[in-house]
Amino acid sequence: MDIYPFYQVAFLLAAAFTCGVLAKRIGLPPLVGFLIAGFLINFSGLQEGNINSSIEVLADIGVMVLLFTIGLKLKLKELFRPEIWISASLHMILIILAMSGVLTLLMYFGISIFSDLSLESTLMLSFALSFSSTVFVVKTLEARGEMASYHGRIAIGILVIQDIFAVLFIAFSDKKIPSLWIFALPIVLWLLQKILSRLLHQMEHGELFSFFGFFAIFVAGALSFNFVGLKADLGALVIGMLLVNHPRVDELYIRMTEYKDFFLIAFFINVGMVGLPSFSTLGVAMILLPFALVKGVLFLFILSRFSLQPRTAFLSALGLSNFSEFGLIVGIVGLQIGLLTNEWIVAMAILMSLSFVLAAPLNVYSHAIFDRFKGVILKLNRKKQSVDCEPLSFGKAEILVVGLGSVGMPTFHSLQQIHGDKVLGLDFNPDLVAAVQQSGQNVLWADVTDSELWDNVDCKNIKAVFMTVADFNANIQTLSEIGRIKERPFKIFAMSRYSDHAQKYRSIGVDYVFEYKENLGYDFVANVLKRQDV
């Protein structure tokens, strides 16, 4: 038996894990470490042979699972909001024009890699560089617990519009005419929605539930779209969107996210394995890298023209300040049709990797950056009538419940039974807040990680804040903003799954931490003993 491939896999996993841990230790997201691991594997020469093709397959699986999970959280009506489709379209046009001008100007400096570009090559390259990374943005939002936030939804919506443009470009550039079966696709999708919804309703919680997710992605989605001549990735996204209103969509999302995190490691490793950098390709990447920030600034100005708060526009724009894996895919299409050379593909891979390295710490400290430059950013847009306006008053509320999810809502109802209208629920998911408000509940939309909220709202009547958000990083950010309040009049209660998280909460001002593992058994017995027949 040839065990050499197993040594390759062992080295790959060891490199990815080690680099991921080191990146985390210095305050960077693990994905930056995975990128570095890809470069190390590339330099080592172990990327040759089967291991290379295996990593590519795993990376493709990761991207499709990612798009499926995005679809599970994305409602079609959100894509038609002006701040999403107009911003995405206008930004792409302006970046293509600006990048084409810059590349044309660089041609006259005599650098060989630029001087070989034609007008068509320049336009294609500019188009490829106009995309932002779906993978990076999703991972960043998940790390901060902000996938459901208003700025997170805007960023994801813009990325989906960009991805649709990429899919359309690839379809036309391949000169591949879709099958006539494409006209039957609406009916097929309707049938798939009915069948998958019924199957999902009948699935138990075991291994078949996970298998259903992969069946939906690769058979119902990818295979059916590929059959009619459309991109398989688009099929994975659309199938997810078909299930967005299913009662068990949250459970499916959580289950598939566990697999997505693993497979996307292969994606970042694969980026680093595209090709060995040369002085020429590295130089090109360094010249073009500042345009990642230019993209972000342009997004900030465009989004600020809509009825959005400056902080929402800033956080959305900062997340989009990078170059994309879809841009690399578009570049590979350019290579296949003879408009770009392999040297440009390597340069784009390096550029994308460096943009991740640049954007990662900026996004980690995005809230702190906003607080630091808030005076300048707030001048961009002072429109008060917007969906994402923070409340200026908590009314007569004395108790706040932060987060209205699976734990927050029962907490909110329990406190309401005791204290009535003195309890106020806060959440940054606008759809959830609107639905709860329609039932007459005392809830408001608010992003509790926003310093503007705690700077402007009057908290003197608040006696207690119950933090029920499950995400640890989001809670830490909220607590850091609350910590800015001088002579805080209220006590803070939080819950924690892990003892180290509980210690961190206590160290930054939480008055009481409910630890699941420590208290669950006591609560179980207490509730049983309350029953009269025990």
Side-chain angles (χ1 to χ4, degrees), residues 188-234:
V188 172
L189 291 176
W190 180 79
L191 288 173
L192 285 174
Q193 195 272 337
K194 297 295 182 184
I195 294 170
L196 292 175
S197 294
R198 183 176 292 271
L199 285 174
L200 181 57
H201 182 74
Q202 296 173 350
M203 286 294 106
E204 296 181 355
H205 303 283
E207 62 273 12
L208 276 178
F209 193 82
S210 299
F211 196 79
F212 167 84
F214 285 102
F215 173 82
I217 296 169
F218 297 104
V219 179
L223 190 62
S224 61
F225 269 61
N226 188 67
F227 177 76
V228 299
L230 295 176
K231 204 166 187 303
D233 294 352
L234 181 61

Short mmCIF file of all heavy atoms in Angstrom, two decimals, residues 188-234:
data_model
loop_
_atom_site.label_atom_id
_atom_site.label_comp_id
_atom_site.label_asym_id
_atom_site.label_seq_id
_atom_site.Cartn_x
_atom_site.Cartn_y
_atom_site.Cartn_z
N VAL A 188 -39.44 23.04 -12.44
CA VAL A 188 -38.59 22.10 -11.69
C VAL A 188 -38.31 22.64 -10.29
O VAL A 188 -38.38 21.90 -9.31
CB VAL A 188 -37.27 21.86 -12.46
CG1 VAL A 188 -36.30 21.05 -11.60
CG2 VAL A 188 -37.53 21.15 -13.77
N LEU A 189 -38.01 23.93 -10.21
CA LEU A 189 -37.73 24.53 -8.90
C LEU A 189 -38.96 24.50 -8.01
O LEU A 189 -38.85 24.28 -6.79
CB LEU A 189 -37.23 25.97 -9.07
CG LEU A 189 -35.85 26.15 -9.70
CD1 LEU A 189 -35.53 27.62 -9.88
CD2 LEU A 189 -34.78 25.47 -8.84
N TRP A 190 -40.13 24.72 -8.59
CA TRP A 190 -41.37 24.65 -7.81
C TRP A 190 -41.57 23.25 -7.26
O TRP A 190 -41.92 23.07 -6.07
CB TRP A 190 -42.55 25.05 -8.69
CG TRP A 190 -43.87 25.00 -7.98
CD1 TRP A 190 -44.39 25.92 -7.12
CD2 TRP A 190 -44.83 23.93 -8.06
NE1 TRP A 190 -45.61 25.52 -6.66
CE2 TRP A 190 -45.92 24.29 -7.22
CE3 TRP A 190 -44.90 22.74 -8.75
CZ2 TRP A 190 -47.04 23.50 -7.06
CZ3 TRP A 190 -46.01 21.92 -8.59
CH2 TRP A 190 -47.08 22.31 -7.77
N LEU A 191 -41.34 22.24 -8.09
CA LEU A 191 -41.47 20.86 -7.65
C LEU A 191 -40.43 20.51 -6.58
O LEU A 191 -40.72 19.86 -5.58
CB LEU A 191 -41.32 19.90 -8.84
CG LEU A 191 -42.49 19.88 -9.83
CD1 LEU A 191 -42.13 19.03 -11.05
CD2 LEU A 191 -43.75 19.33 -9.16
N LEU A 192 -39.19 20.98 -6.80
CA LEU A 192 -38.12 20.72 -5.84
C LEU A 192 -38.43 21.35 -4.48
O LEU A 192 -38.17 20.76 -3.43
CB LEU A 192 -36.78 21.25 -6.36
CG LEU A 192 -36.11 20.43 -7.47
CD1 LEU A 192 -34.88 21.16 -7.99
CD2 LEU A 192 -35.72 19.04 -6.96
N GLN A 193 -39.00 22.55 -4.53
CA GLN A 193 -39.34 23.22 -3.27
C GLN A 193 -40.38 22.41 -2.49
O GLN A 193 -40.26 22.25 -1.27
CB GLN A 193 -39.87 24.63 -3.58
CG GLN A 193 -39.93 25.57 -2.39
CD GLN A 193 -41.24 25.48 -1.62
OE1 GLN A 193 -42.24 25.05 -2.18
NE2 GLN A 193 -41.21 25.87 -0.35
N LYS A 194 -41.37 21.88 -3.20
CA LYS A 194 -42.41 21.08 -2.55
C LYS A 194 -41.84 19.79 -1.99
O LYS A 194 -42.10 19.39 -0.85
CB LYS A 194 -43.54 20.77 -3.54
CG LYS A 194 -44.29 21.99 -4.06
CD LYS A 194 -45.03 22.69 -2.94
CE LYS A 194 -45.82 23.88 -3.47
NZ LYS A 194 -46.48 24.64 -2.38
N ILE A 195 -41.01 19.12 -2.81
CA ILE A 195 -40.45 17.82 -2.41
C ILE A 195 -39.47 17.99 -1.24
O ILE A 195 -39.53 17.26 -0.25
CB ILE A 195 -39.75 17.14 -3.60
CG1 ILE A 195 -40.78 16.79 -4.68
CG2 ILE A 195 -38.99 15.90 -3.16
CD1 ILE A 195 -40.18 16.33 -5.99
N LEU A 196 -38.56 18.96 -1.37
CA LEU A 196 -37.55 19.16 -0.33
C LEU A 196 -38.18 19.62 0.98
O LEU A 196 -37.75 19.22 2.06
CB LEU A 196 -36.50 20.17 -0.80
CG LEU A 196 -35.59 19.71 -1.95
CD1 LEU A 196 -34.69 20.85 -2.40
CD2 LEU A 196 -34.75 18.51 -1.52
N SER A 197 -39.20 20.48 0.89
CA SER A 197 -39.87 20.94 2.10
C SER A 197 -40.53 19.78 2.84
O SER A 197 -40.46 19.68 4.07
CB SER A 197 -40.92 22.00 1.76
OG SER A 197 -40.32 23.16 1.25
N ARG A 198 -41.17 18.89 2.08
CA ARG A 198 -41.82 17.73 2.70
C ARG A 198 -40.78 16.79 3.32
O ARG A 198 -40.95 16.30 4.44
CB ARG A 198 -42.66 16.98 1.66
CG ARG A 198 -43.43 15.79 2.23
CD ARG A 198 -44.30 15.16 1.16
NE ARG A 198 -45.37 16.06 0.77
CZ ARG A 198 -46.56 16.10 1.37
NH1 ARG A 198 -46.81 15.30 2.40
NH2 ARG A 198 -47.50 16.92 0.96
N LEU A 199 -39.67 16.56 2.58
CA LEU A 199 -38.61 15.70 3.10
C LEU A 199 -37.99 16.28 4.37
O LEU A 199 -37.75 15.58 5.34
CB LEU A 199 -37.52 15.50 2.04
CG LEU A 199 -37.85 14.57 0.87
CD1 LEU A 199 -36.74 14.61 -0.16
CD2 LEU A 199 -38.04 13.14 1.39
N LEU A 200 -37.74 17.59 4.34
CA LEU A 200 -37.13 18.24 5.50
C LEU A 200 -38.04 18.16 6.71
O LEU A 200 -37.58 17.98 7.84
CB LEU A 200 -36.80 19.69 5.16
CG LEU A 200 -36.13 20.53 6.27
CD1 LEU A 200 -34.84 19.87 6.74
CD2 LEU A 200 -35.85 21.94 5.77
N HIS A 201 -39.33 18.27 6.48
CA HIS A 201 -40.30 18.18 7.58
C HIS A 201 -40.28 16.80 8.22
O HIS A 201 -40.48 16.66 9.44
CB HIS A 201 -41.70 18.49 7.05
CG HIS A 201 -42.76 18.47 8.12
ND1 HIS A 201 -42.89 19.48 9.06
CD2 HIS A 201 -43.73 17.55 8.40
CE1 HIS A 201 -43.90 19.18 9.87
NE2 HIS A 201 -44.42 18.02 9.49
N GLN A 202 -40.01 15.75 7.41
CA GLN A 202 -40.05 14.38 7.90
C GLN A 202 -38.72 13.89 8.46
O GLN A 202 -38.67 12.84 9.11
CB GLN A 202 -40.50 13.44 6.78
CG GLN A 202 -41.92 13.71 6.29
CD GLN A 202 -42.29 12.88 5.07
OE1 GLN A 202 -41.43 12.25 4.46
NE2 GLN A 202 -43.57 12.90 4.71
N MET A 203 -37.63 14.65 8.22
CA MET A 203 -36.31 14.21 8.66
C MET A 203 -36.20 14.21 10.18
O MET A 203 -36.68 15.12 10.85
CB MET A 203 -35.22 15.13 8.10
CG MET A 203 -34.90 14.97 6.62
SD MET A 203 -34.17 13.37 6.22
CE MET A 203 -35.57 12.58 5.41
N GLU A 204 -35.55 13.17 10.72
CA GLU A 204 -35.24 13.15 12.14
C GLU A 204 -33.95 13.94 12.36
O GLU A 204 -33.39 14.51 11.44
CB GLU A 204 -35.09 11.70 12.61
CG GLU A 204 -36.40 10.91 12.49
CD GLU A 204 -36.25 9.48 12.98
OE1 GLU A 204 -35.11 9.09 13.32
OE2 GLU A 204 -37.27 8.77 13.03
N HIS A 205 -33.44 13.94 13.60
CA HIS A 205 -32.30 14.80 13.93
C HIS A 205 -30.96 14.10 13.76
O HIS A 205 -29.93 14.68 14.10
CB HIS A 205 -32.43 15.29 15.38
CG HIS A 205 -33.71 16.02 15.65
ND1 HIS A 205 -33.92 17.32 15.26
CD2 HIS A 205 -34.85 15.62 16.27
CE1 HIS A 205 -35.14 17.69 15.63
NE2 HIS A 205 -35.73 16.68 16.24
N GLY A 206 -30.94 12.90 13.24
CA GLY A 206 -29.70 12.14 13.14
C GLY A 206 -28.92 12.41 11.88
O GLY A 206 -28.98 13.50 11.28
N GLU A 207 -28.16 11.38 11.45
CA GLU A 207 -27.26 11.56 10.31
C GLU A 207 -28.00 11.82 9.00
O GLU A 207 -27.47 12.48 8.11
CB GLU A 207 -26.34 10.32 10.15
CG GLU A 207 -27.06 9.01 9.87
CD GLU A 207 -27.50 8.29 11.14
OE1 GLU A 207 -27.46 8.90 12.22
OE2 GLU A 207 -27.90 7.12 11.03
N LEU A 208 -29.26 11.33 8.88
CA LEU A 208 -30.01 11.58 7.66
C LEU A 208 -30.33 13.06 7.48
O LEU A 208 -30.50 13.54 6.36
CB LEU A 208 -31.31 10.77 7.65
CG LEU A 208 -31.20 9.32 7.16
CD1 LEU A 208 -32.55 8.64 7.25
CD2 LEU A 208 -30.67 9.28 5.73
N PHE A 209 -30.39 13.79 8.58
CA PHE A 209 -30.66 15.23 8.50
C PHE A 209 -29.50 15.93 7.79
O PHE A 209 -29.71 16.78 6.93
CB PHE A 209 -30.86 15.80 9.90
CG PHE A 209 -31.44 17.18 9.91
CD1 PHE A 209 -32.80 17.37 9.77
CD2 PHE A 209 -30.62 18.29 10.04
CE1 PHE A 209 -33.35 18.65 9.78
CE2 PHE A 209 -31.16 19.56 10.05
CZ PHE A 209 -32.52 19.75 9.92
N SER A 210 -28.28 15.57 8.17
CA SER A 210 -27.10 16.13 7.50
C SER A 210 -27.05 15.68 6.05
O SER A 210 -26.74 16.47 5.14
CB SER A 210 -25.81 15.71 8.21
OG SER A 210 -25.79 16.17 9.54
N PHE A 211 -27.37 14.41 5.82
CA PHE A 211 -27.33 13.89 4.45
C PHE A 211 -28.35 14.60 3.57
O PHE A 211 -28.10 14.83 2.38
CB PHE A 211 -27.61 12.38 4.47
CG PHE A 211 -27.23 11.70 3.19
CD1 PHE A 211 -25.92 11.38 2.92
CD2 PHE A 211 -28.20 11.39 2.24
CE1 PHE A 211 -25.57 10.76 1.73
CE2 PHE A 211 -27.86 10.78 1.05
CZ PHE A 211 -26.53 10.45 0.80
N PHE A 212 -29.49 14.98 4.15
CA PHE A 212 -30.48 15.74 3.40
C PHE A 212 -29.88 17.06 2.90
O PHE A 212 -30.12 17.47 1.77
CB PHE A 212 -31.70 16.04 4.26
CG PHE A 212 -32.62 17.08 3.66
CD1 PHE A 212 -33.58 16.72 2.73
CD2 PHE A 212 -32.50 18.42 4.02
CE1 PHE A 212 -34.40 17.69 2.15
CE2 PHE A 212 -33.32 19.39 3.46
CZ PHE A 212 -34.27 19.01 2.53
N GLY A 213 -29.09 17.73 3.77
CA GLY A 213 -28.47 18.99 3.36
C GLY A 213 -27.57 18.82 2.16
O GLY A 213 -27.64 19.60 1.20
N PHE A 214 -26.73 17.78 2.16
CA PHE A 214 -25.83 17.55 1.03
C PHE A 214 -26.61 17.12 -0.22
O PHE A 214 -26.26 17.48 -1.34
CB PHE A 214 -24.79 16.49 1.39
CG PHE A 214 -23.71 17.01 2.30
CD1 PHE A 214 -23.73 16.73 3.66
CD2 PHE A 214 -22.69 17.79 1.80
CE1 PHE A 214 -22.76 17.21 4.50
CE2 PHE A 214 -21.70 18.27 2.63
CZ PHE A 214 -21.73 18.00 3.98
N PHE A 215 -27.69 16.36 -0.01
CA PHE A 215 -28.55 15.98 -1.15
C PHE A 215 -29.16 17.22 -1.79
O PHE A 215 -29.18 17.36 -3.02
CB PHE A 215 -29.65 15.03 -0.67
CG PHE A 215 -30.67 14.70 -1.72
CD1 PHE A 215 -30.43 13.72 -2.67
CD2 PHE A 215 -31.88 15.40 -1.78
CE1 PHE A 215 -31.37 13.43 -3.65
CE2 PHE A 215 -32.82 15.12 -2.75
CZ PHE A 215 -32.56 14.12 -3.69
N ALA A 216 -29.66 18.14 -0.96
CA ALA A 216 -30.26 19.37 -1.49
C ALA A 216 -29.25 20.19 -2.25
O ALA A 216 -29.55 20.75 -3.31
CB ALA A 216 -30.86 20.18 -0.33
N ILE A 217 -28.02 20.27 -1.75
CA ILE A 217 -26.99 21.09 -2.39
C ILE A 217 -26.53 20.49 -3.71
O ILE A 217 -26.56 21.16 -4.75
CB ILE A 217 -25.77 21.25 -1.45
CG1 ILE A 217 -26.15 22.02 -0.19
CG2 ILE A 217 -24.62 21.97 -2.18
CD1 ILE A 217 -25.08 21.98 0.89
N PHE A 218 -26.11 19.25 -3.67
CA PHE A 218 -25.39 18.68 -4.81
C PHE A 218 -26.28 17.96 -5.82
O PHE A 218 -25.92 17.88 -7.00
CB PHE A 218 -24.30 17.73 -4.31
CG PHE A 218 -23.25 18.42 -3.50
CD1 PHE A 218 -23.22 18.31 -2.12
CD2 PHE A 218 -22.31 19.24 -4.11
CE1 PHE A 218 -22.27 18.97 -1.37
CE2 PHE A 218 -21.36 19.90 -3.37
CZ PHE A 218 -21.33 19.78 -2.00
N VAL A 219 -27.40 17.45 -5.39
CA VAL A 219 -28.29 16.75 -6.34
C VAL A 219 -29.40 17.69 -6.81
O VAL A 219 -29.52 17.99 -8.00
CB VAL A 219 -28.89 15.48 -5.70
CG1 VAL A 219 -29.83 14.78 -6.70
CG2 VAL A 219 -27.77 14.53 -5.28
N ALA A 220 -30.20 18.18 -5.86
CA ALA A 220 -31.31 19.07 -6.23
C ALA A 220 -30.81 20.39 -6.79
O ALA A 220 -31.39 20.93 -7.74
CB ALA A 220 -32.20 19.32 -5.01
N GLY A 221 -29.74 20.93 -6.23
CA GLY A 221 -29.25 22.24 -6.66
C GLY A 221 -28.21 22.18 -7.76
O GLY A 221 -28.47 22.51 -8.91
N ALA A 222 -26.99 21.74 -7.42
CA ALA A 222 -25.86 21.79 -8.34
C ALA A 222 -26.11 20.95 -9.59
O ALA A 222 -25.88 21.41 -10.72
CB ALA A 222 -24.60 21.30 -7.63
N LEU A 223 -26.58 19.73 -9.41
CA LEU A 223 -26.77 18.83 -10.56
C LEU A 223 -27.86 19.32 -11.49
O LEU A 223 -27.70 19.29 -12.73
CB LEU A 223 -27.09 17.42 -10.06
CG LEU A 223 -27.08 16.32 -11.13
CD1 LEU A 223 -25.71 16.20 -11.75
CD2 LEU A 223 -27.51 14.98 -10.52
N SER A 224 -28.97 19.79 -10.94
CA SER A 224 -30.07 20.25 -11.79
C SER A 224 -29.69 21.49 -12.58
O SER A 224 -30.03 21.62 -13.76
CB SER A 224 -31.32 20.51 -10.95
OG SER A 224 -31.08 21.53 -9.98
N PHE A 225 -28.95 22.42 -11.97
CA PHE A 225 -28.53 23.62 -12.68
C PHE A 225 -27.47 23.29 -13.73
O PHE A 225 -27.47 23.86 -14.82
CB PHE A 225 -27.99 24.66 -11.69
CG PHE A 225 -29.05 25.60 -11.19
CD1 PHE A 225 -30.15 25.12 -10.49
CD2 PHE A 225 -28.98 26.95 -11.42
CE1 PHE A 225 -31.14 25.97 -10.03
CE2 PHE A 225 -29.96 27.82 -10.98
CZ PHE A 225 -31.05 27.32 -10.28
N ASN A 226 -26.56 22.38 -13.38
CA ASN A 226 -25.54 21.98 -14.34
C ASN A 226 -26.17 21.29 -15.54
O ASN A 226 -25.70 21.44 -16.69
CB ASN A 226 -24.53 21.05 -13.66
CG ASN A 226 -23.32 20.76 -14.54
OD1 ASN A 226 -22.52 21.62 -14.84
ND2 ASN A 226 -23.22 19.51 -14.97
N PHE A 227 -27.24 20.57 -15.32
CA PHE A 227 -27.92 19.84 -16.39
C PHE A 227 -28.48 20.79 -17.45
O PHE A 227 -28.49 20.48 -18.64
CB PHE A 227 -29.05 18.98 -15.80
CG PHE A 227 -29.85 18.24 -16.83
CD1 PHE A 227 -29.36 17.10 -17.43
CD2 PHE A 227 -31.12 18.69 -17.20
CE1 PHE A 227 -30.09 16.42 -18.39
CE2 PHE A 227 -31.86 18.02 -18.14
CZ PHE A 227 -31.35 16.87 -18.75
N VAL A 228 -28.97 21.97 -17.01
CA VAL A 228 -29.54 22.92 -17.97
C VAL A 228 -28.52 23.95 -18.44
O VAL A 228 -28.86 24.93 -19.11
CB VAL A 228 -30.76 23.65 -17.36
CG1 VAL A 228 -31.85 22.67 -17.00
CG2 VAL A 228 -30.36 24.49 -16.14
N GLY A 229 -27.23 23.75 -18.09
CA GLY A 229 -26.17 24.62 -18.59
C GLY A 229 -25.90 25.84 -17.73
O GLY A 229 -25.24 26.78 -18.19
N LEU A 230 -26.37 25.84 -16.46
CA LEU A 230 -26.08 26.93 -15.54
C LEU A 230 -25.05 26.48 -14.52
O LEU A 230 -24.83 25.28 -14.33
CB LEU A 230 -27.37 27.39 -14.83
CG LEU A 230 -28.44 28.00 -15.73
CD1 LEU A 230 -29.70 28.30 -14.91
CD2 LEU A 230 -27.94 29.27 -16.40
N LYS A 231 -24.44 27.46 -13.84
CA LYS A 231 -23.36 27.13 -12.90
C LYS A 231 -23.90 26.42 -11.67
O LYS A 231 -24.91 26.80 -11.11
CB LYS A 231 -22.63 28.42 -12.49
CG LYS A 231 -21.21 28.17 -12.04
CD LYS A 231 -20.44 29.46 -11.97
CE LYS A 231 -18.97 29.19 -11.67
NZ LYS A 231 -18.74 28.45 -10.46
N ALA A 232 -23.18 25.37 -11.26
CA ALA A 232 -23.61 24.56 -10.13
C ALA A 232 -23.68 25.38 -8.85
O ALA A 232 -24.57 25.17 -8.01
CB ALA A 232 -22.66 23.38 -9.96
N ASP A 233 -22.75 26.33 -8.68
CA ASP A 233 -22.74 27.17 -7.46
C ASP A 233 -24.05 27.94 -7.31
O ASP A 233 -24.59 28.08 -6.21
CB ASP A 233 -21.58 28.16 -7.51
CG ASP A 233 -20.23 27.48 -7.45
OD1 ASP A 233 -20.22 26.25 -7.24
OD2 ASP A 233 -19.21 28.16 -7.63
N LEU A 234 -24.56 28.45 -8.44
CA LEU A 234 -25.83 29.19 -8.42
C LEU A 234 -26.96 28.27 -7.98
O LEU A 234 -27.88 28.69 -7.25
CB LEU A 234 -26.12 29.78 -9.79
CG LEU A 234 -27.39 30.61 -9.92
CD1 LEU A 234 -27.34 31.82 -8.99
CD2 LEU A 234 -27.61 31.07 -11.37
#
